[in-house]
Amino acid sequence: GQNIDQPTEMTATEGAIVQINCTYQTSGFNGLFWYQQHAGEAPTFLSYNVLDGLEEKGRFSSFLSRSKGYSYLLLKELQMKDSASYLCAGRTGGGNKLTFGTGTQLKVEL
Amino acid sequence: SQTIHQWPATLVQPVGSPLSLECTVEGTSNPNLYWYRQAAGRGLQLLFYSVGIGQISSEVPQNLSASRPQDRQFILSSKKLLLSDSGFYLCAWGFSSADTQYFGPGTRLTVL
C-alpha cells in the first residue's frame, strides 16, 4: 500500500488561491485522485492524474510529479463553500484499490 | 446516469447486536463495488471490494463481512458489533480497475 501525507489543516481568505500538497511513495504508483468532503457528507470526486503535469477543471487544478512522488490541488477564487476536507488518494499496481490520506481541512475566511 | 444508494442513513446499535448495511447501484452493469469506513478524525479505510457477484476481497481482518448477492447490490454485515465499529460507512462504485470511485451518501453507525 501507499503512505499518503498531506497537511492536517489550512486557512485561506475568500477570493484568494490556496495550494494543498500531497506526497506519496512512488513504488508501484498508478494514479492519484483528489476528493472533496464536506462535514457529515460523502466524498465527491474532484480530479485524477496519472501522467505528469497539470489538469485544470474550472477553479480547481491538480498537478502531479511522478518522479518526486508529489501532487497538489490548487483552488482559485476561493469561496466560502470551498470550506471542506480535501482527500488525496493513491492507487498502486494494476489493481483497483485506493489508499487515502487523512485529509486536509480547509477553512475559508472572509 | 449512474446513482448509488445506501441505507439506512443513520443507525444506533447496542454492542453485541447484528448489523446489515445495504448498497445498490443503478444505471450500470458489473460495477466494481467497495466498502470503506471513516472513523472520527481519521482517513478512509478500505474494508472490502468486489469485482463481481460472489467475489469479495477483504482488506482488514475484523468482525465484519461483505456479500454481493446480485450484480448491483453490496451488503456489509456483522454478527456482533463492537464499540470500535462506530464510524461513517461508505459504499463506492467504479466502472473498472482503472477508473474513478464514486461514493454513496453513507451510513453513520453509532455503537453504544
Side-chain angles (χ1 to χ4, degrees):
Chain A
Q2 282 277 334
N3 279 339
I4 306 287
D5 293 314
Q6 50 182 134
T8 303
E9 295 179 341
M10 298 184 72
T11 302
T13 305
E14 188 180 34
I17 299 173
V18 69
Q19 178 175 311
I20 302 174
N21 297 324
C22 171
T23 58
Y24 62 90
Q25 293 178 329
T26 58
S27 177
F29 172 81
N30 188 27
L32 192 124
F33 297 80
W34 284 97
Y35 286 82
Q36 180 191 59
Q37 186 177 24
H38 285 99
E41 299 181 7
T44 55
F45 169 72
L46 289 178
S47 69
Y48 169 52
N49 295 71
V50 64
L51 299 176
D52 291 350
L54 189 68
E55 294 281 342
E56 297 186 79
K57 282 187 179 181
R59 294 190 300 115
F60 291 19
S61 303
S62 57
F63 172 83
L64 178 67
S65 169
R66 290 174 295 171
S67 62
K68 296 182 179 179
Y70 168 68
S71 174
Y72 67 72
L73 181 69
L74 193 70
L75 292 76
K76 303 176 184 176
E77 301 171 13
L78 280 173
Q79 302 175 11
M80 298 300 289
K81 67 178 182 179
D82 296 329
S83 293
S85 182
Y86 290 86
L87 310 177
C88 176
R91 182 172 59 216
T92 54
N96 46 15
K97 296 181 289 184
L98 297 181
T99 300
F100 282 83
T102 53
T104 298
Q105 187 65 46
L106 174 66
K107 181 179 180 182
V108 180
E109 299 178 329
L110 291 172
Chain B
S1 63
Q2 299 79 27
T3 55
I4 179 169
H5 304 279
Q6 283 186 249
W7 62 91
T10 59
L11 191 60
V12 180
Q13 293 284 98
V15 169
S17 64
L19 173 74
S20 181
L21 302 181
E22 188 164 345
C23 168
T24 59
V25 180
E26 296 178 354
T28 186
S29 297
N30 196 32
N32 290 341
L33 296 172
Y34 310 83
W35 278 112
Y36 288 88
R37 176 172 61 201
Q38 188 175 40
R42 301 185 65 180
L44 285 166
Q45 180 186 34
L46 179 64
L47 302 175
F48 301 94
Y49 73 94
S50 171
V51 298
I53 295 175
Q55 301 179 60
I56 309 294
S57 295
S58 175
E59 291 299 301
V60 183
Q62 56 205 331
N63 68 323
L64 298 173
S65 62
S67 62
R68 184 170 178 174
Q70 300 181 44
D71 181 44
R72 290 169 289 179
Q73 184 185 31
F74 205 22
I75 297 172
L76 183 70
S77 304
S78 175
K79 293 182 179 179
K80 288 186 177 182
L81 284 169
L82 306 172
L83 286 174
S84 58
D85 291 324
S86 293
F88 192 34
Y89 287 82
L90 291 154
C91 180
W93 75 274
F95 281 114
S96 70
S97 63
D99 203 21
T100 302
Q101 294 178 22
Y102 299 93
F103 289 87
T107 295
R108 193 162 301 280
L109 171 66
T110 303
V111 182
L112 300 175

